[in-house]
Amino acid sequence: MGHGMASRTDTKTRILDAAEKLFAERGFSETSLRLITSKAEVNLASVNYHFGSKKELIRAVLARYLDVFMPSAAAEIQRLFKNPELANLNEIFSSLIKPLLELNQVRHGGTTIFLQLLGRGYIESQGHLRWFITTHYGQYLEAFVRAVSASAPHIPPAEMFWRLHFTLGTIVFTMASADALNEIAAADYGEHNDTEAIIRKVIPYMAAGVSVPILAKE
Amino acid sequence: MGHGMASRTDTKTRILDAAEKLFAERGFSETSLRLITSKAEVNLASVNYHFGSKKELIRAVLARYLDVFMPSAAAEIQRLFKNPELANLNEIFSSLIKPLLELNQVRHGGTTIFLQLLGRGYIESQGHLRWFITTHYGQYLEAFVRAVSASAPHIPPAEMFWRLHFTLGTIVFTMASADALNEIAAADYGEHNDTEAIIRKVIPYMAAGVSVPILAKE
DNA sequence: GTTTAATTTAAACGAGTGTTTTAATTGAAA
DNA sequence: TTTCAATTAAAACACTCGTTTAAATTAAAC
């Protein structure tokens, strides 16, 4: 029963740390277990020993971020609605900035990595990560959707569903190519934006899109 | 020199038709040449014989659509600006609908396939497809950027750069996951949207985001 | 009808994948 | 110190992948 607790945790963490970086950079299926374990300086078989399979490793990588982000984000939303006057969309989206940037304290570059992982998870892996997220964190997602819907009551639920996924695509694609975009922006416009600056640029864009009135058909 | 022209063209077309469908559905790296050639009912080696490599097959699949879409889209933009009064953003984005839907006449389901391919191309394949598109079709892209900038003169170039990439992310992510989103929308809201319906939903979102005034910092 | 180049075919190649197995090592409990 | 389960390690397994090779087939040119 008693055994080397320290070394086991260490190996698991080394794997998770190496995996999340590589997954975010190159995607899940493009990242082999051999590359992960060599970067982590652990044995190849240790992934299957500690996590069971590659698929479960992917889930563990995502869960480590979601377990921090989701409750924090939910608390921010709740705090916002304690206020008597209704929050507007910009405020709701902006309330996610703090939980997102806190991920940088959890791990270096955590904010960018998390958003990139989220994007990869939704695009790759036909549905099984989407299912994992909605079943494990559905309560948080629903609370967020309710908050947004209350702030834009003129948008019907079905339309809001689509617009929130447009929003997901906007943020996820932007963060996935943030490094490349930043290089171009620096070269062409002399701009140097960190992750927070980009988030603050994208929020007005998303808020405007989500709340734009639906045009009557001609 | 003279040789079986009919059979060669037929084989190449069979490969392209099978490949574009599978690439759009499952992504490039998740689609094996063996799956493509079995669906196309041609020999495995014929891909390397006719296209050289899998990477060049991917480019050929995309080029077959871009060669139709890009000139058509450019013509629409140009036609829009022949009109004395300035076009608004909704009109500019909407002018791409016709060129997009024309792809359905080229091939069954062509519009969806093209947009999904575009999304896969920008997300997968780290940069080499992005490079292929900008170097081969850059003139068309620049004309489009000029048209959008003229319609939103209150947005400085650097900000417009970011917002157009937000827009790219929105459309690309949406189309890459269009099938999955449509399934959810059908189950949860009883909605059944075709590609045109989704395009018409996303355009107001993007137009509002691109043109939203920049807030003075507090 | 013969020649000749284009095309198709079947088979193999070499490298890479996730996973499993079996043995060695570790370190706290007895 | 012995015991024994947890962990690490090295190797092999059973695939799949894109690509190449070499022979067979096709059909147009002469």
Side-chain angles (χ1 to χ4, degrees):
Chain A
M1 300 216 177
H3 49 270
M5 194 68 165
S7 67
R8 177 178 67 181
T9 304
D10 194 52
T11 298
K12 284 187 79 164
T13 305
R14 295 177 72 86
I15 293 172
L16 288 169
D17 288 346
E20 69 170 29
K21 197 165 181 298
L22 294 167
F23 284 154
E25 283 172 3
R26 358 165 100 235
F28 300 113
S29 65
E30 300 292 326
T31 303
S32 69
L33 295 184
R34 281 168 177 81
L35 181 60
I36 293 171
T37 51
S38 76
K39 290 272 183 190
E41 294 180 306
V42 300
N43 188 271
L44 167 63
S46 59
V47 172
N48 286 289
Y49 178 78
H50 285 288
F51 296 95
S53 67
K54 184 182 181 181
K55 188 179 283 188
E56 290 175 77
L57 170 62
I58 294 174
R59 290 183 180 181
V61 164
L62 259 161
R64 197 164 61 147
Y65 277 104
L66 290 169
D67 288 343
V68 175
F69 173 75
M70 286 292 192
S72 173
E76 286 295 320
I77 300 288
Q78 205 173 8
R79 205 167 60 85
L80 204 64
F81 274 77
K82 283 284 194 299
N83 206 304
E85 67 254 34
L86 203 59
N88 67 32
L89 271 186
N90 261 298
E91 290 170 336
I92 291 183
F93 284 135
S94 295
S95 73
L96 299 182
I97 292 180
K98 210 183 91 185
L100 278 174
L101 294 180
E102 279 171 359
L103 299 177
N104 275 330
Q105 300 170 334
V106 176
R107 229 157 291 111
H108 179 66
T111 304
T112 309
I113 290 175
F114 170 64
L115 289 172
Q116 293 183 356
L117 287 174
L118 213 59
R120 304 279 188 188
Y122 265 80
I123 293 162
E124 290 188 54
S125 66
Q126 54 276 37
H128 93 260
L129 266 183
R130 191 183 242 109
W131 176 88
F132 170 74
I133 293 175
T134 48
T135 53
H136 284 75
Y137 306 93
Q139 46 171 333
Y140 301 113
L141 299 178
E142 284 165 18
F144 181 74
V145 172
R146 275 198 303 274
V148 172
S149 298
S151 297
H154 56 296
I155 308 296
E159 186 72 22
M160 184 57 82
F161 163 84
W162 283 101
R163 291 191 176 182
L164 284 180
H165 277 90
F166 299 160
T167 297
L168 182 63
T170 309
I171 186 73
V172 141
F173 179 91
T174 299
M175 299 317 296
S177 36
D179 292 340
L181 294 180
N182 242 334
E183 277 182 34
I184 302 173
D188 291 6
Y189 308 103
E191 277 199 4
H192 292 275
N193 299 286
D194 56 10
T195 299
E196 180 175 354
I198 298 176
I199 293 175
R200 290 191 185 279
K201 273 188 195 299
V202 79
I203 283 179
Y205 176 97
M206 302 189 304
V210 167
S211 61
V212 68
I214 299 177
L215 276 192
K217 292 182 184 165
E218 52 185 289
Chain B
M1 300 214 175
H3 49 269
M5 193 68 165
S7 67
R8 178 177 67 181
T9 304
D10 192 54
T11 299
K12 286 185 77 163
T13 305
R14 295 176 71 86
I15 293 172
L16 288 170
D17 290 347
E20 68 171 31
K21 196 165 181 299
L22 293 166
F23 284 154
E25 283 172 3
R26 355 166 104 235
F28 300 114
S29 64
E30 300 293 329
T31 304
S32 70
L33 295 185
R34 281 169 177 81
L35 181 60
I36 294 172
T37 52
S38 77
K39 288 273 183 188
E41 294 180 306
V42 300
N43 188 271
L44 167 63
S46 59
V47 171
N48 289 79
Y49 178 78
H50 286 289
F51 297 95
S53 67
K54 183 181 181 179
K55 188 179 285 188
E56 289 174 78
L57 170 63
I58 293 173
R59 290 184 180 181
V61 164
L62 258 161
R64 196 163 63 147
Y65 278 103
L66 289 169
D67 289 343
V68 175
F69 172 75
M70 285 293 191
S72 173
E76 284 295 320
I77 299 287
Q78 206 172 6
R79 205 166 61 85
L80 205 63
F81 275 78
K82 283 283 194 300
N83 206 303
E85 67 253 33
L86 202 59
N88 67 33
L89 272 185
N90 260 300
E91 290 171 335
I92 292 184
F93 285 135
S94 295
S95 73
L96 298 182
I97 293 180
K98 210 184 92 184
L100 279 173
L101 293 181
E102 280 172 358
L103 299 177
N104 274 329
Q105 299 169 336
V106 175
R107 226 158 295 109
H108 179 67
T111 303
T112 309
I113 291 174
F114 170 64
L115 287 173
Q116 292 185 352
L117 288 174
L118 211 60
R120 304 278 188 189
Y122 264 81
I123 293 162
E124 288 188 53
S125 66
Q126 54 276 39
H128 95 261
L129 266 182
R130 192 186 240 109
W131 176 88
F132 170 74
I133 293 175
T134 48
T135 53
H136 284 75
Y137 306 93
Q139 47 172 331
Y140 300 112
L141 299 179
E142 285 165 18
F144 182 74
V145 172
R146 276 197 304 273
V148 171
S149 299
S151 297
H154 57 295
I155 308 297
E159 188 71 22
M160 183 57 82
F161 163 83
W162 284 101
R163 291 190 177 181
L164 283 180
H165 277 91
F166 298 159
T167 298
L168 182 63
T170 307
I171 187 73
V172 140
F173 179 92
T174 298
M175 289 306 163
S177 37
D179 291 340
L181 293 180
N182 242 334
E183 277 183 33
I184 302 173
D188 290 5
Y189 307 103
E191 274 200 5
H192 293 274
N193 297 286
D194 56 10
T195 300
E196 180 175 354
I198 298 177
I199 294 174
R200 291 191 185 279
K201 275 185 195 300
V202 79
I203 284 179
Y205 176 97
M206 300 189 303
V210 168
S211 61
V212 68
I214 299 177
L215 274 193
K217 292 184 183 163
E218 54 184 290

